[in-house]
Amino acid sequence: MAVHDLDKAYAVHAALLALFIQEHGGASNAGALARAQGLCDAAVDAVNDVESRVAIRGVKSLAMLLYSDDGHFGIAIGDLHGVHAVRLQIANELSAFRGRLELLESRKPSRPEIPAVEPKHLRVLVVEDNRDSAESLRRLLELCGYTVTVAETAKEGLDAARSMRPDVILCDIGLPDADGFSLARALRRNPETSAARLIAVTAYGKDEDKERSKKAGFALHLLKPVSPGTLLQVLEDVPQAVKSS
């Protein structure tokens, strides 16, 4: 019997990452907690390694805090507090788990080739002022083969777009220095960035918000929380014409 089932462990890692992106926490959520605990148990079963199990058990404990009404109160990491601090700790534990899996894989003798994630040849700019959400989204998209850059403000987003020439921009509307509508109009006016496909990812869900998105140049208006499956399908459907050569 194999000591490690790394394929299963990688799949569980991806599923946990997707879960925490979809279910932000901060209130009692028995369904999300049960899914997180089940996935953590599956990860422990898949990898017979102390450091991996320490990381994944940390995720399991933190999930209990995240999906409760008050478990996140009083928790702080730097400038982050409450739910955001817990989610950052979860992201760190998942990153440690992933790193351990990669180390175990590198030490595995005579292992069969595991197909690498096929690069998507698509540059994605994420404009999101919530660092935790932005980092989680970046990790998910990179795991799926996309090249990702993150900006936290409209100004950073505009500068990044001019520099990297993204194919797709996933943009929040409520940004700290200017709203996403203003950023979209600026991107559309600039010949260097006008070809990017703009997708709003926001909690602004009123009909007038959707109409403003359309007028500003957004091709799609997605409401938070967006399921990872929906988001990945949207990126898969990006026309070939905007893909990098």
Side-chain angles (χ1 to χ4, degrees):
M1 182 177 180
V3 175
H4 308 303
D5 186 343
L6 294 179
D7 287 344
K8 178 180 178 181
Y10 279 123
V12 171
H13 173 273
L16 280 167
L17 192 60
L19 171 62
F20 291 121
I21 291 173
Q22 182 175 0
E23 303 290 350
H24 285 197
S28 180
N29 188 334
L33 178 58
R35 287 167 58 195
Q37 291 177 329
L39 287 168
C40 288
D41 290 341
V44 170
D45 289 341
V47 184
N48 183 20
D49 171 72
V50 172
E51 292 187 33
S52 296
R53 292 185 173 200
V54 167
I56 211 65
R57 283 171 178 155
V59 172
K60 188 174 183 179
S61 297
L62 289 164
M64 295 178 66
L65 301 180
L66 185 66
Y67 297 125
S68 69
D69 290 329
D70 56 7
H72 54 282
F73 289 168
I75 297 177
I77 300 178
D79 294 333
L80 298 179
H81 300 270
V83 172
H84 299 309
V86 174
R87 285 175 59 81
L88 178 60
Q89 290 183 69
I90 289 174
N92 289 339
E93 294 289 5
L94 284 175
S95 179
F97 179 57
R98 171 81 184 195
R100 188 62 181 173
L101 294 183
E102 292 172 351
L103 180 61
L104 292 172
E105 184 179 8
S106 70
R107 292 177 175 177
K108 187 176 179 182
S110 303
R111 65 186 185 280
E113 284 294 322
I114 299 176
V117 175
E118 181 182 354
K120 302 296 184 181
H121 303 297
L122 199 70
R123 296 184 297 270
V124 180
L125 173 61
V126 175
V127 185
E128 168 62 69
D129 63 323
N130 185 307
R131 294 179 185 177
D132 190 15
S133 296
E135 180 64 13
S136 296
L137 182 55
R138 180 186 68 79
R139 291 179 182 179
L140 173 66
L141 296 182
E142 288 183 343
L143 183 67
C144 295
Y146 294 98
T147 299
V148 184
T149 298
V150 171
E152 296 183 7
T153 67
K155 182 182 184 305
E156 288 180 6
L158 187 58
D159 290 343
R162 290 169 176 164
S163 175
M164 66 173 286
R165 304 288 182 89
D167 302 298
V168 180
I169 300 176
L170 303 176
C171 185
D172 193 8
I173 298 299
L175 298 170
D177 55 342
D179 61 43
F181 304 126
S182 300
L183 175 57
R185 288 192 292 269
L187 291 166
R188 283 285 175 258
R189 287 195 299 266
N190 191 325
E192 296 179 342
T193 59
S194 60
R197 184 171 177 82
L198 300 180
I199 299 173
V201 182
T202 176
Y204 291 25
K206 296 181 180 179
D207 289 342
E208 52 263 42
D209 297 323
K210 297 176 183 178
E211 184 62 27
R212 289 185 68 188
S213 285
K214 185 177 180 180
K215 290 181 179 179
F218 285 103
L220 290 172
H221 188 102
L222 304 179
L223 293 183
K224 293 180 178 180
V226 182
S227 73
T230 296
L231 189 57
L232 293 175
Q233 186 59 58
V234 164
L235 292 179
E236 286 289 339
D237 291 341
V238 171
Q240 288 288 333
V242 304
K243 292 191 176 182
S244 305
S245 59

